[in-house]
Amino acid sequence: MLRTTLLSILATSLLVVPASAAGSLRGKYVEARTCQVYTGPCFANGEVGSTGKDAIMTWKIESGELGGVVVSGLGVAVVVKTSHTLGFNGLQDAQTTDALLIIDESANQEQSSALQSFAMLQTRLREDQIVSTQRASFDMQFDLAELTATVDVGEFAHVQARKARPGDCICSNESAYYPPLTGLQGFVPGVTIEGEVKARCLGRRWSIPDTRTAYLGTFYYDADQPVSKEESVVSR
């Protein structure tokens, strides 16, 4: 009953997104990692130090602009490789981080720069941590009613995910154990049904099918009053 109530609360929060305003962005977000995020302490402790050092973060902007540049309908993704398990403090736990930035090939030069700035702000990565910046096709299908999503980022990534359900529990002590890697308006932990990521520039290729390793969420970013990760995460 507690797990059902938790998922109901998270699903409700995911549906609440403020209207877009000038100088702000809103849209959908899908994340997948190589460690379980919907899990219990016993499982999480067994993975610390050995896995969870890779992740992909994807944003699809539904409406808005940044720096006067309209980026509605465009997407951006970041693949990270780290030296430590991404845990409670997200990328701050990484110690060392290398990243691949992938920008929607539909974006023009100004939009590309705006998307890059947005991704850097959301991840707090430094320019020297970006190993490569690539352009690729970007498609995200996100069903808010069913809380399912499919993301395709060119040849680099394919992720299909759904919200976690009571039947996904193993030890009956599961929760959204590690928070998302970026600030969100609302989110639910999920199961990665299909997860393939290829990042040659990072020396990484990984697959995480049928694992409790995903987050599905909505984001709202105000360029004039950016919200910190701690303020914007609505539930853990």
Side-chain angles (χ1 to χ4, degrees):
M1 179 63 71
L2 179 60
R3 294 193 300 273
T4 302
T5 302
L6 173 60
L7 290 174
S8 176
I9 293 172
L10 291 176
T12 301
S13 70
L14 184 57
L15 293 169
V16 180
V17 183
S20 173
S24 64
L25 303 173
R26 72 179 180 93
K28 306 295 194 306
Y29 172 84
V30 177
E31 168 189 315
R33 297 192 226 177
T34 54
C35 67
Q36 299 181 82
V37 296
Y38 180 66
T39 188
C42 54
F43 287 93
N45 290 338
E47 293 186 328
V48 171
S50 61
T51 188
K53 302 175 184 179
D54 297 274
I56 182 169
M57 296 167 275
T58 64
W59 297 262
K60 179 63 179 290
I61 298 167
E62 292 186 326
S63 61
E65 62 180 52
L66 186 62
V69 179
V70 176
V71 289
S72 302
L74 298 174
V76 62
V78 175
V79 179
V80 295
K81 176 188 74 172
T82 69
S83 59
H84 289 67
T85 300
L86 299 171
F88 294 111
N89 297 309
L91 290 172
Q92 295 180 39
D93 287 335
Q95 299 297 312
T96 62
T97 303
D98 291 326
L100 164 64
L101 174 64
I102 310 167
I103 296 173
D104 196 324
E105 65 181 11
S106 299
N108 60 32
Q109 185 173 352
E110 288 187 336
Q111 291 171 326
S112 178
S113 296
L115 290 170
Q116 180 172 349
S117 296
F118 171 71
M120 299 292 281
L121 287 167
Q122 293 300 290
T123 59
R124 302 179 185 176
L125 290 171
R126 304 185 309 272
E127 288 188 7
D128 65 300
Q129 293 174 306
I130 306 298
V131 173
S132 179
T133 300
Q134 301 289 329
R135 302 289 294 269
S137 59
F138 188 103
D139 180 66
M140 180 186 292
Q141 302 298 321
F142 197 120
D143 189 327
L144 273 175
E146 297 295 328
L147 292 175
T148 61
T150 301
V151 184
D152 286 290
V153 186
E155 63 179 12
F156 299 101
H158 169 72
V159 176
Q160 182 182 355
R162 61 166 174 80
K163 73 171 183 179
R165 302 165 183 162
D168 297 314
C169 293
I170 299 174
C171 66
S172 300
N173 194 29
E174 281 83 350
S175 66
Y177 195 76
Y178 295 134
L181 295 172
T182 186
L184 297 172
Q185 183 68 25
F187 64 83
V188 292
V191 171
T192 303
I193 301 170
E194 298 177 5
E196 297 281 346
V197 175
K198 303 173 186 176
R200 292 182 180 178
C201 64
L202 302 179
R204 285 289 204 259
R205 179 172 182 173
W206 41 274
S207 177
I208 48 171
D210 299 317
T211 53
R212 303 177 299 176
T213 54
Y215 275 111
L216 297 83
T218 57
F219 66 85
Y220 175 75
Y221 175 78
D222 188 331
D224 296 321
Q225 294 182 322
V227 180
S228 70
K229 177 179 176 180
E230 290 75 15
E231 291 171 331
S232 62
V233 172
V234 297
S235 179
R236 296 187 182 183

